[in-house]
Amino acid sequence: MSVLIKGGTIVTTTGRYVADVYAEDDKIKSIGKNLAVEADETVDAGGKYVLPGAIDPHTHISMPFMGTSAQDDYETGTISAACGGVTTVVDFDLQQKGESLLEALERKKSWAEGKAAVDFSLHPAVMDPRPEVIEEVKKAILDYGTPSFKIFMVYDFRVDDATMIKLLEETKKYGGLVQVHAENVYIIQHMNEMLEKEGKLAPYYHAVSRPNIAEEEAVSRAAKMVELTGSRIYIVHLSSKEGLFKVKEARDHGIEVFAETCPQYLLLNEDRYKEADFNGAKYVMSPPLRTEESSEALWGGLKGGDVQVVATDHCPFDFHGKKDMFGKDDYKKIPNGAPGIETLLMLMHTEGVVKGRISLERMVDVLSTGTARMFGLKDKGEIIVGKDADIVVFDPEQAFTITQDKLHMNVDYTPYEGMKMTGMPHAVYSRGKRVAEWNGEQLAFVGEIGRGRFVKREPFEGF
Ligand code: URP
Ligand code: ZN
Ligand code: ZN
């Protein structure tokens, strides 16, 4: 199978240029002006961008959570990814009590078997930190191809600071990366108790119960553990100006704290929780949406380099029957999470690039090249010879209005309903095979279910 993409504008992290791209048998084989090669498929990309496929390193596919499960499985989740220009997914794999990390990985890989439409990898989430599990970290980094480890400072399955320190020590030795959901659980518990006494249980109080200071404190504490151990950490779904300040403060002192944010924290704010008819429940996620001040600060962090990755935290639950049933009388029971894998690239282009908040090149960095580097995806993330032909031919002029019925995610709403996009994927390739294409109205999936492979990742090499 071969494809020739002719005359598009290839975008890198440092610039752009017009050239042809020829891909054969999974790989980018040559790049140049007027390539004289015959291919099975030729695409005229004149006036379009040729981007590396986006990488989403924060998804919760089929994750059991809060008495239910995140609704996209590997089939619907990766079809949605493909239709949004996401060609690699790094999904969280929550270790169960008594499991080894390897058992957890084999279990989640079996869920993906025959279902993934694009390539995927896994981050083990350490939830049962027995001594033998901490010892297994070395193997996970060097043998299993999963060098990043998620820990939670909140939820019932959180780990304590001692576990964080042990993991930081182990990952430092072998080139791993600890990823942390940073919120202070005691602040949240205290706020929950106060709000409960006052009968304040509507969706809006979800935001009140998790103030910016809860993130600020947890980021600051995690950064101190990094200072102590000389290791490195990656803060997932950074949401607040105060949290960002702590990231920046650490980085300014040479402490290796990396950060990811998500479109929801860049584009939506806490007013959404006040939407009528319980619609505020659609935005119940943790950390919660903040104010515009935080969003503006996060755009600044992305532009300036203190935030290195944009991911989705894709964790969909239906509004009808899940969000509106479980939590009708109490925000604490609303399943936390929202859909987003399919809208990542279009939102970052329209809201980031077209509105002048970040350059096109920076978008490529935070969605692809920098993400690949952060997570050891050595064959992904760039349009250069030798890399996997994970390519998005992107039409920067294509208009699209986001509506749930034009998306593929297995959920009954999108937080971005009605938003007008400028720029959409025209054709999406996963290892040289077309997996999605613009059909005049929306993206259509044209790939092969089960072709997506588990990708072994490399240890962290520094940034
Ligand atoms: O609300 C969220 N973010 N749900 C998914 C789990 C997590 O904390 O990332
Ligand atoms: Zn989280
Ligand atoms: Zn998450």
Side-chain angles (χ1 to χ4, degrees):
M1 189 173 24
S2 58
V3 57
L4 178 62
I5 300 169
K6 283 189 79 64
T9 300
I10 298 170
V11 187
T12 72
T13 60
T14 51
R16 52 188 102 171
Y17 61 101
V18 175
D20 301 343
V21 179
Y22 175 70
E24 193 187 305
D25 299 335
D26 294 355
K27 296 284 180 190
I28 297 174
K29 286 279 156 72
S30 51
I31 300 176
K33 298 264 184 209
N34 304 315
L35 289 180
V37 276
E38 290 290 317
D40 300 331
E41 181 190 340
T42 301
V43 192
D44 175 6
K48 299 190 174 67
Y49 299 144
V50 179
L51 309 174
I55 298 168
D56 189 350
H58 189 149
T59 64
H60 298 277
I61 293 183
S62 299
M63 182 180 81
F65 191 42
M66 296 184 75
T68 175
S69 281
Q71 283 171 201
D72 270 312
D73 67 6
Y74 267 92
E75 185 169 323
T76 59
T78 56
I79 287 174
S80 309
C83 292
V86 172
T87 51
T88 308
V89 170
V90 194
D91 189 35
F92 289 113
D93 180 14
L94 272 54
Q95 179 205 17
Q96 302 301 300
K97 276 261 174 274
E99 264 186 341
S100 67
L101 298 181
L102 185 60
E103 283 165 345
L105 290 167
E106 293 306 328
R107 179 176 46 75
K108 198 133 198 200
K109 276 190 212 170
S110 76
W111 297 3
E113 192 72 47
K115 287 189 156 191
V118 298
D119 290 349
F120 69 99
S121 185
L122 295 166
H123 313 282
V126 178
M127 297 183 6
D128 183 14
R130 309 184 306 277
E132 63 270 29
V133 171
I134 303 293
E135 261 177 45
E136 204 188 353
V137 162
K138 177 181 176 184
K139 279 196 195 145
I141 297 170
L142 301 177
D143 302 341
Y144 309 163
T146 55
S148 44
F149 304 85
K150 173 80 174 284
I151 54 172
F152 296 88
M153 296 168 85
V154 287
Y155 304 133
D156 298 345
F157 43 81
R158 65 184 175 274
V159 298
D160 58 14
D161 293 354
T163 301
M164 191 191 311
I165 292 171
K166 282 183 207 151
L167 283 171
L168 287 168
E169 293 281 11
E170 284 305 289
T171 50
K172 181 189 170 190
K173 283 188 218 159
Y174 307 108
L177 179 65
V178 175
Q179 302 164 276
V180 62
H181 175 141
E183 287 185 289
N184 179 306
V185 70
Y186 301 105
I187 293 177
I188 297 166
Q189 281 173 1
H190 171 74
M191 294 303 294
N192 280 338
E193 279 164 27
M194 296 229 310
L195 292 164
E196 177 112 38
K197 274 189 205 140
E198 292 167 24
K200 293 178 171 165
L201 296 170
Y204 175 72
Y205 295 103
H206 171 73
V208 179
S209 74
R210 308 177 92 101
N212 296 20
I213 194 174
E215 183 171 83
E216 180 184 16
E217 189 282 331
V219 171
S220 164
R221 184 157 30 107
K224 285 291 163 198
M225 306 307 179
V226 179
E227 188 176 346
L228 176 79
T229 55
S231 189
R232 63 188 79 84
I233 210 161
Y234 173 97
I235 311 291
V236 298
H237 50 42
L238 188 72
S239 63
S240 68
K241 184 179 160 206
E242 291 79 358
L244 174 63
F245 183 79
K246 289 294 169 191
V247 169
K248 189 172 163 31
E249 189 178 62
R251 294 175 62 78
D252 287 348
H253 287 88
I255 299 162
E256 279 194 282
V257 178
F258 302 103
E260 154 202 293
T261 192
C262 312
Q264 53 270 35
Y265 301 116
L266 294 164
L267 302 175
L268 307 177
N269 70 57
E270 63 181 27
D271 289 347
R272 295 271 177 153
Y273 294 115
K274 295 180 182 157
E275 283 183 7
D277 302 324
F278 203 67
N279 272 282
K282 292 177 178 171
Y283 314 97
V284 168
M285 61 186 77
S286 295
L289 301 177
R290 311 292 189 182
T291 60
E292 262 168 40
E293 212 188 347
S294 280
S295 302
E296 286 312 310
L298 289 169
W299 280 114
L302 266 184
K303 194 172 175 177
D306 285 316
V307 179
Q308 299 79 30
V309 171
V310 178
T312 66
D313 194 7
H314 179 71
C315 189
F317 301 101
D318 275 345
F319 174 62
H320 294 292
K322 291 235 173 121
K323 294 232 176 209
D324 71 344
M325 294 285 285
F326 291 35
K328 195 85 195 150
D329 304 315
D330 186 351
Y331 67 82
K332 295 189 283 304
K333 298 191 180 128
I334 300 170
N336 283 205
I341 198 165
E342 197 169 351
T343 44
L344 173 68
L345 172 59
M346 61 182 91
L347 286 169
M348 290 307 294
H349 181 262
T350 298
E351 294 291 326
V353 178
V354 176
K355 293 200 173 164
R357 289 156 156 157
I358 54 169
S359 67
L360 183 63
E361 288 77 6
R362 184 71 185 140
M363 182 189 83
V364 164
D365 205 355
V366 301
L367 293 184
S368 303
T369 313
T371 315
R373 197 145 54 105
M374 183 74 75
F375 292 106
L377 287 158
K378 73 170 180 18
D379 293 331
K380 307 286 188 191
E382 277 175 280
I383 305 291
I384 55 173
V385 171
K387 294 273 178 187
D388 284 352
D390 290 356
I391 300 172
V392 180
V393 179
F394 189 89
D395 182 347
E397 308 292 337
Q398 182 61 58
F400 177 67
T401 300
I402 296 180
T403 57
Q404 176 52 26
D405 62 331
K406 292 210 161 38
L407 300 174
H408 299 77
M409 298 174 285
N410 182 30
V411 63
D412 65 0
Y413 77 100
T414 164
Y416 307 101
E417 186 72 32
M419 279 181 70
K420 292 192 184 336
M421 299 292 102
T422 304
M424 288 296 284
H426 173 76
V428 180
Y429 295 85
S430 163
R431 281 185 284 103
K433 163 118 181 60
R434 190 182 277 230
V435 289
E437 63 192 19
W438 179 255
N439 72 4
E441 287 195 355
Q442 65 194 101
L443 268 292
F445 177 68
V446 294
E448 198 183 306
I449 291 157
R451 185 170 176 272
R453 288 184 195 150
F454 174 75
V455 181
K456 272 187 146 189
R457 294 181 286 120
E458 302 285 316
F460 191 88
E461 275 186 0
F463 228 67

